[in-house]
Each structure stands twice: as C-alpha cells, then as structure tokens.
Amino acid sequence: MDDNPLYFRAPRVPLWRRGCAFGFDSAIAWILATLIGGPTVGPRLLVFALTWFSMRVIVPSSYFGQSPGRWAFDMRVVSDRDNRTPLWQDLAKREGISGLAVFLALLGFFNLGTRNAFYLILLLPLGVDVGVAWFDPVDPSAFHDRVSQTRVVATRRGYSLDLKVKKWVALISRNVKQ
C-alpha cells in the first residue's frame, strides 16, 4: 500500500455543494448582521463576526464539524492530520480567513451602484480564497483549508437539502408537463 496521506483521505465534497453551504451560512450571518447591526459598517461587522464565529467555530466544534449550512448539505469539516473534527483553534483560523473574505464580498456587493463600482475590489479576497481550489486539479482545497490543514468531506448526517431540491424540481417539472 501507499504511505501517501492523500491515499487514505475520504472523498471531498464537490465545490458547488461547498459553495451552497457557504452561501447558506453567509446569508444567515449577513441577515442577522443587517437586522441587528444596522446600516453602519462597524456594528454590522461586529454582529457578523460574532454570528460567523458561533455558527462556524463553536457549533462545529461540538457538533461533528457541521455548521448549519454544512448540516443542510450533508458535509463536515475534518482535520487533515487525523480525519476528526478539527480543534477549535484550527476552525478559528479557517473561519477567520473565510469570514473576513465573505464579509468584504457581501459589503462590496450590497454597496454597488452606478457611481461606486470600486466596491468590486472587495470581492477579490473571496475570489482568491475560492480560486485556489477552483484552479488546482490535484488538491481542490480553498486557501482557508490549506492554512488550517482541514478539508470538507461528505457525511450521512444532515438534511440532504440538495437532494430534496432535485426531487422537488423533478416533481414540479413532471407536473408542468402533464
């Protein structure tokens, strides 16, 4: 057998499913930050950071590596070292990078207008973070996964939202054709 640690790894989750779970968690954190933090950036950033940290670090530390978005799409975060739920320090490092990138991207996206297209620059950190995984066919890990030595793998523990949506779409399209 091969002693290469890549040989023993569990299969990774496709990037589109990871993106859906990431978007799910991002939407929850952004909505709460907007409702509670208000229109100014400082309080909104504070509420976003607290929500993001609790959803993506505290909950996964005690709930098998699953955030609400990862639970909805049947996946979990594991450590590259031992295939277990990462330590909270590794999760904090991972989610600090991705949380800052998504906050900047959402801030830039929701402040776009005809006279302030410079907010598009705020989309770059998220693009770089995800682009590392998108353009590396050998190791499709995002930048935050590489820094924290983690990966996202499939699990049977969750809601299977993607499968349920596929089923609903098939049912609707079958009823529309009749």
Side-chain angles (χ1 to χ4, degrees), residues 3-47:
D3 289 336
N4 185 358
L6 289 174
Y7 182 77
F8 298 108
R9 289 187 175 169
R12 293 180 186 265
V13 176
L15 287 176
W16 71 268
R17 281 184 56 206
R18 290 182 64 185
C20 289
F22 192 74
F24 190 91
D25 289 340
S26 300
I28 292 171
W30 185 258
I31 289 169
L32 286 175
T34 303
L35 292 175
I36 298 170
T40 57
V41 176
R44 189 183 294 178
L45 174 61
L46 179 65
V47 173

Side-chain angles (χ1 to χ4, degrees), residues 56-132:
R56 307 264 303 185
V57 175
I58 295 172
V59 171
S61 293
S62 58
Y63 194 69
F64 306 105
Q66 290 182 307
S67 67
R70 288 190 212 109
W71 175 81
F73 288 93
D74 294 335
M75 59 185 83
R76 65 183 287 227
V77 175
V78 295
S79 174
D80 274 341
R81 294 180 293 274
D82 56 6
N83 284 335
R84 293 187 178 168
T85 302
L87 301 172
W88 73 268
Q89 297 92 334
D90 294 331
L91 285 171
K93 192 183 332 178
R94 177 184 201 281
E95 300 306 335
I97 294 169
S98 65
L100 181 61
V102 77
F103 179 79
L104 291 174
L106 289 170
L107 185 66
F109 180 75
F110 285 111
N111 285 315
L112 278 178
T114 57
R115 295 187 172 260
N116 54 0
F118 62 88
Y119 277 111
L120 286 174
I121 292 172
L122 295 176
L123 298 174
L124 285 176
L126 185 61
V128 169
D129 184 25
V130 175
V132 170

Side-chain angles (χ1 to χ4, degrees), residues 127-150:
V128 169
D129 184 25
V130 175
V132 170
W134 190 264
F135 292 111
D136 188 356
V138 177
D139 184 17
S141 297
F143 178 73
H144 61 269
D145 286 324
R146 293 173 192 228
V147 168
S148 63
Q149 297 178 348
T150 59

Side-chain angles (χ1 to χ4, degrees), residues 16-17 20 24 72-74 159-174:
W16 71 268
R17 281 184 56 206
C20 289
F24 190 91
F73 288 93
D74 294 335
Y159 185 68
S160 304
L161 184 62
D162 54 331
L163 299 176
K164 290 181 176 160
V165 168
K166 284 181 185 178
K167 184 178 171 182
W168 295 333
V169 168
L171 182 68
I172 291 169
S173 66
R174 188 170 8 127

